[in-house]
Structure formats: C-alpha cells, structure tokens
Amino acid sequence: MIVVPLLTFLAVVGLCLPRDGGVRLALLRAAVLVAGAASLGVEALSAAHALDRPVVITGWVLALLITGGFAIRSSRRPRFDLRARWTALATVERLMVGALAGLFLLDLAVALIAPPNNFDSQTYHLPKIEHWVQQGDVSFYPTVIDRQLAMAPGAEFLLLHLRLLTGGDGAYNLVQLAAGVGAVLAASRIAGQLGGGTRAQLVTALVVGTTPMVVLQATSTQTDLVVALWVACVATFALDGLRALSGRFDTLLIGTAAGLTLLTKATGLLAAGLLLAVWAVAQLRLARWRGVAAAVAVGALMLLLAGPNLLRVQDTYENPLGPAHLRESISMQRHDPAAVLINALRVAETALQTPVGPVNDAVAAGIIGLAGVLGVDPQGRDITYWNEEFPYRSWPPDEDRVSLPAQGVLILIGALLLLFRKDTRLYAAVFWLAVLAYVVTVKWQPWGNRLIVFLLVLGAPLAGLWIAGLTGRRFATWATTGALAAGVAVGGFAVAYGWPRRLVGHGSVFTTSQLDQRFIREPGWQRDYEWAAAEVRASGARRVGLVQGYNTWEYPWWILLPGTRIDSLQSLQPGLTPPGTAELDAVLCVKPPHDCEFYLLPTWTVHRRNDVAYALAPRP
C-alpha cells in the first residue's frame, strides 16, 4: 500500500509541471498539495468518526485513479534532458550531485531498516497516532502527557496515513527523509531565484544536504525537517510573487504551505510570517484589490488547515498555544536587550560548537561573563528551558543536539555579505529578522539546534551565492571543492556514526535487533517493559490502563501489546475523564507521580520490577 500514495504524488507532479518544465517546482507544488489534501482528509474523516484502514485505503486508491487519469490525459511533459544536464556540469559539480545522492541513499537504507526510536517520538509523537487509530478520530483524550495533545500535529497527520495504509510504523521514517530531499530542492531553487547559477544552486544543496542535523533527522520521526520544508516552500512560492501578480493557483500553494507550517510547528511562522508579509506587500503594489483578495485567501487557507486543531487546543486549555506550563517552558519571559543578547549568544554557541573543547569552553565562559556584566542570569528560568544549564556539549552527532559549525558559519557570512547586494538584500534582511524573531521568542535549550533547521534551510541559499560568487574562477573552484570535501566528510561521519541510528559500530542498524533499536536511548528500560507486557499478554487482558510519568515512553506498550486497547488512567485535561479500574483487565505503571496503588482499588495486587509495575484485575 505504500506504493499508492507514491504513485498519487507522482501523478500530481505531472499535473503541476509548469510550462517551462521546472521539475523542482513541480515536486514542491505536489508535496504541498498532497500533504494539504492528506491533512484535510484527516480532519474530514475524524469529523465523521471514520478514521479507519478501509476508508483511508479507499480514499487513496480513488485519489490515485483520479490524479492518474488526469495525468495521463495531460499534455504537460517535463522538458528535462538528464543526459544533457549532466554533460553540462563541471567535474566538481558532478561530484556534488554524486555526494548528495550517496548521502541520501545511505539515509534511505537507514530509514528503511531502523524502526522509529527518537526519544520524543516514544513519549508523544507516535502514541497520539495510536490513540487516533484506536478511537477513529483525532479528538483529545485523557493523558498525563499533554504534549500529545497541545503540540501541533501536522507531521503526525502524514504518519497517520502511513499507519492506516500499511498497518504499522515501518514507513514512518520516510516522511522526514522526503522532507529532507524536498528542503534541498527548495533551497537550491531559492538560490536560483536570487540570481544564482548552477554552481550556486548545487553549493546551496550541498550546505543543506550535508548538515549533520539534516542527515540524522532524515531517518527519524521528528518534525523539524517537515516544518523546514513547508517554510522553504512558502519562501520559494513567495519569491515568485515579488515581481509578478500571483494567480489563483499560486495563492493556493502559498496559503497551503503556510497552513501546513502552522499545523506542523508554530516556530516556523517566525520566518513564514515575514515571508508572507513581504509577498502581501508586493501583491498590493502590483494590484491593490487583487492583492487584498489574495492575502485574505491565504489567511483563509491557513485557518482551514490549522483551525480545527487550534480550536481543540483552545477549547481544552483556553489558549491556542496550549497549557501555560508548556508555553512558558519554551517561550522567553524576558525581552529586554540584555536578555535577548545573551539568549542569542547562547543559541549561537550551541549551534556553532566545534569538537575543540578549549575553544568551546572559552566562548561559553565569555558569554557567562558578559551575562554577569549585563545583569542577566545565564541559567535563569525566564530565558532558559526548565532544569537545563548552559553550556551543553552539542557537537557529537546526535539527532537531537548536533551542532552545525561549518554550515552555520558559511550561512552567517553569506547573510551578512549579501545584505548589501541589491538583488539579495531583501531576502537577507528577512533571514536576519527571522533569526531575531527566534532569539526573542524561544529560550535557549540543549536541543535547540534541531529547532533552527528551518533557519538553516532559509539561509543556505545565501551561503551558496557568496561561495559560488567568489572572485576568480580558479579560487571559486577551490573554494567549492573545499566546501564539497568538508561537507561530505561531516555528513558521511553523521550517517556512519550518528546516534541513535548508525551504520557502523555499537548499535548499528545492521547488527542490532528491531526491538533493541527501539530502546537504544534507554536500554535499561527494555527488559522491564518486556517483562510487564509478557505478563499482561499471558493474562489475556484486552483493555489495559496506563499510568506513567510526564516524560516516560508510552509508544513501546503499543508495540509490545498489539491489538490491546490502551487507555490512560490519568488526565491533565479539564473535562477529559479517564476510565475507572473496574472497566480494565490490567494496569501498567511506569514512573508514576504517585505509587501505582494510588490509582487502583485495594483488591488489585501490584507486581514491580525497577521503574515498571503491572497489576491484573482480580478474578471473581
């Protein structure tokens, strides 16, 4: 069944081909349209309580028949001579294409072999999908992990389709992989829109595609590459509308890309909102009333896509951004210049950190010293994520934290230099404003490097343009070759030794069992989970209650207890009442805020093993 959405996507690509045969543009258009339709489909089926496998399979088959039929009848054919394009490339440019293709092929192997094992995915990204499948809709449910409800679900909506189509999570990693490829295509197209030739576009693609965070996230079920793709799509579609009036189809694309951004991760709006503002002003200058109509249409599309989820969050927490404790853990509470400066410097240090320890220590000490001079507590809760402390060792290749010193420096240099060039100053200014918006609104956190992936993708064209534009052909070639070698070395190392999915060494995806890979972040939990799940299965329990801590793993229970109904016995959501133990056959407890007995009737007997416990309903 995984072939059905792929063929549907290719059919839409054929329908989206522009007259000049721009394949990249067609791929990006199709990505936005298919993802937008898939997200609307989730909401529509949820409203009818019809989110089940037969309905979703039928929907995709019909979509394939319709789009495929139109694509076959369409007169549009890509004017793309691959052989001629390849022959026209210089040797170093062919090497760049080969390097990128090689890295993504390695990522594809990892994505297909490795099961989802990202930490956050075990806690809230993936359990919410199982709850949706269990109840047949995406309405909220009782849980102690409110991130399952309050966090934007755009990427999970796409995963939900794969879950219902295939019956499992074997294809989950492909969503972020596709987003990574899409981000490379979008960034390289932006470089071309800003005046860059083939060399600049390929360098841009290399900057994005070899960044360790991109390489590692492209095999995961995180959401940062997905939102980066939608932001980049907003950028490239909006740039097309700076000098020409956007037609209805262009407006549809911009609005859908912006809506997907809001539906996937709100931080993406820090850049997408600026891009939309620039586009709207350009449209108003070109045609006042049509520009107003286009801007209104974009806003309506955003609400159509993200509105239902925002309403659910608003109704539950009286705020569309979720509960207060969750908002305050992420967003800055101080906005004075001194606090923003220290936050920006800490974000930069963590993002640009190198493997050279003394250099990192000196930079961190300088930031802490400056904070003291300015009267800012560098560990203050108002500018720092709860219970975390700056500095943090971020350079090792871990998908949640890895730094991007080479790519980051190249982007910052390009963004500074091109701020003074006429044809790029507007885009560079938008990039810097997006960076400023981020450091003003988002607290420093150890895993903040993954949150700025959308800024990396937006800034990469500026790096590609200035590197390719270096004076002197020979010097430019050497600079490009150096960037290629450094990028391939860094990206290759991340693929080979990155954590928690690596090709070689301890924990290799080739030598570690599927279940062991799922617990590779917390191997000490695995045996306890297996022990409790085996006892519950042996009892024949059909409905199981779950008691857990705020940051424990729920998803493994869905893997270890297939076909079992799992309900939370805790709820942080007003109006969402969990079931009583009288309705259950068994209860599982993992690091609960109270002892497991607190949630049970006195007649239940609890069996413990380290941080995991289970209890079976007393037999009559």
Side-chain angles (χ1 to χ4, degrees):
M1 290 309 302
I2 194 66
V3 177
V4 177
L6 176 60
L7 292 177
T8 304
F9 172 75
L10 293 176
V12 178
V13 170
L15 294 172
C16 288
L17 279 169
R19 295 300 178 186
D20 61 0
V23 176
R24 271 183 309 188
L25 179 57
L27 288 166
L28 296 173
R29 285 173 169 177
V32 167
L33 293 176
V34 172
S39 299
L40 289 175
V42 168
E43 291 289 3
L45 293 177
S46 175
H49 302 286
L51 267 177
D52 57 45
R53 194 176 186 196
V55 173
V56 170
I57 289 176
T58 301
W60 276 103
V61 171
L62 288 175
L64 175 58
L65 292 174
I66 294 170
T67 57
F70 279 109
I72 291 172
R73 295 177 58 187
S74 174
S75 60
R76 297 186 181 185
R77 295 292 182 269
R79 300 173 184 175
F80 186 74
D81 189 337
L82 182 60
R83 184 174 182 179
R85 292 285 186 92
W86 181 258
T87 304
L89 296 177
T91 300
V92 68
E93 292 168 348
R94 295 180 188 178
L95 289 173
M96 283 191 278
V97 173
L100 282 171
L103 282 176
F104 277 114
L105 284 174
L106 289 174
D107 265 345
L108 175 61
V110 175
L112 290 173
I113 296 170
N117 63 357
N118 170 264
F119 193 102
D120 285 349
S121 296
Q122 308 273 34
T123 301
Y124 61 93
H125 287 306
L126 302 186
K128 68 168 73 173
I129 298 173
E130 297 303 316
H131 282 284
W132 294 339
V133 173
Q134 178 173 273
Q135 62 192 24
D137 57 47
V138 295
S139 59
F140 286 177
Y141 48 85
T143 178
V144 73
I145 304 175
D146 50 19
R147 287 168 295 172
Q148 292 183 11
L149 310 182
M151 292 294 194
E156 290 86 348
F157 277 5
L158 303 181
L159 294 178
L160 174 61
H161 281 275
L162 295 179
R163 169 66 173 81
L164 291 171
L165 283 169
T166 66
D169 62 9
Y172 276 7
N173 294 334
L174 297 179
V175 170
Q176 280 261 109
L177 178 63
V181 174
V184 168
L185 295 175
S188 64
R189 184 173 190 268
I190 291 170
Q193 290 172 287
L194 295 175
T198 300
R199 179 70 58 89
Q201 295 176 48
L202 286 174
V203 173
T204 298
L206 191 74
V207 169
V208 176
T210 60
T211 300
M213 183 61 77
V214 173
V215 171
L216 293 173
Q217 281 220 20
T219 63
S220 82
T221 46
Q222 278 284 17
T223 62
D224 304 289
L225 277 177
V226 177
V227 73
L229 171 60
W230 304 142
V231 172
C233 285
V234 172
T236 192
F237 298 153
L239 285 174
D240 285 335
L242 294 188
R243 295 181 178 86
L245 195 64
S246 297
R248 293 177 181 176
F249 184 56
D250 299 313
T251 302
L252 170 67
L253 291 169
I254 293 173
T256 304
L260 288 169
T261 300
L262 179 57
L263 183 63
T264 304
K265 186 166 284 190
T267 50
L269 285 181
L270 299 174
L274 293 169
L275 292 162
L276 290 175
V278 171
W279 169 81
V281 170
Q283 293 296 297
L284 289 171
R285 292 178 62 184
L286 291 167
R288 179 176 299 176
W289 295 113
R290 286 187 62 183
V292 170
V296 171
V298 166
L301 285 166
M302 293 177 67
L303 288 176
L304 178 65
L305 280 161
N309 182 68
L310 292 175
L311 284 175
R312 284 191 292 269
V313 178
Q314 171 68 36
D315 288 344
T316 303
Y317 301 107
E318 298 182 351
N319 189 299
L321 297 178
H325 74 91
L326 199 57
R327 301 194 308 271
E328 293 170 3
S329 69
I330 298 172
S331 60
M332 289 273 285
Q333 270 85 59
R334 281 187 63 174
H335 301 95
D336 56 284
V340 171
L341 174 62
I342 296 304
N343 193 50
L345 292 174
R346 294 180 307 161
V347 169
E349 190 280 333
T350 306
L352 304 178
Q353 197 176 107
T354 72
V356 184
V359 172
N360 300 331
D361 294 341
V363 173
I367 294 172
I368 293 173
L370 178 61
V373 172
L374 297 177
V376 178
D377 180 1
Q379 318 301 348
R381 183 169 171 173
D382 48 4
I383 63 170
T384 305
Y385 194 90
W386 294 350
N387 300 321
E388 301 297 336
E389 186 172 340
F390 174 83
Y392 187 88
R393 188 166 170 262
S394 64
W395 69 263
D398 185 301
E399 69 165 353
D400 284 336
R401 304 173 178 87
V402 63
S403 59
L404 47 145
Q407 291 84 356
V409 168
L410 293 176
I411 289 171
L412 293 176
I413 292 174
L416 183 60
L417 294 176
L418 298 184
L419 188 59
F420 302 98
R421 205 171 86 180
K422 183 177 180 180
D423 53 346
T424 56
R425 68 175 62 159
L426 177 61
Y427 186 85
V430 169
F431 170 77
W432 282 115
L433 286 173
V435 171
L436 178 61
Y438 180 86
V439 299
V440 166
T441 58
V442 181
K443 293 178 178 179
W444 175 87
Q445 49 195 282
W447 44 88
N449 289 341
R450 65 178 180 79
L451 301 182
I452 60 173
V453 171
F454 73 96
L455 294 174
L456 162 82
V457 175
L458 278 186
L462 301 172
L465 287 167
W466 85 264
I467 293 174
L470 291 173
T471 305
R473 183 173 181 180
R474 178 173 296 182
F475 183 65
T477 300
W478 278 106
T480 305
T481 304
L484 168 64
V488 171
V490 172
F493 180 76
V495 174
Y497 291 97
W499 197 252
R501 295 166 302 281
R502 56 173 43 162
L503 290 173
V504 296
H506 168 69
S508 166
V509 297
F510 295 116
T511 59
T512 309
S513 73
Q514 290 277 303
L515 191 57
D516 287 350
Q517 287 183 64
R518 291 184 185 274
F519 283 91
I520 206 159
R521 284 283 196 191
E522 294 287 350
W525 292 355
Q526 181 175 351
R527 301 301 172 231
D528 298 338
Y529 270 72
E530 289 183 283
W531 162 76
E535 296 294 333
V536 170
R537 283 198 308 271
S539 73
R542 303 306 302 165
R543 188 174 186 185
V544 176
L546 183 60
V547 178
Q548 57 191 335
Y550 189 72
N551 207 35
T552 52
W553 289 2
E554 177 179 329
Y555 189 61
W557 297 122
W558 296 93
I559 299 299
L560 294 169
L561 297 170
T564 304
R565 180 179 178 87
I566 300 177
D567 294 295
S568 174
L569 288 184
Q570 307 149 285
S571 180
L572 292 182
Q573 294 70 43
L576 296 177
T577 306
T581 51
E583 306 172 47
L584 304 173
D585 302 314
V587 171
L588 292 163
C589 297
V590 187
K591 291 186 175 180
H594 305 283
D595 287 338
C596 197
E597 289 86 348
F598 178 85
Y599 302 91
L600 302 175
L601 296 172
T603 53
W604 290 59
T605 302
V606 175
H607 306 270
R608 287 188 179 82
R609 182 166 162 174
N610 299 317
D611 292 324
V612 176
Y614 77 90
L616 304 177
R619 295 187 180 276

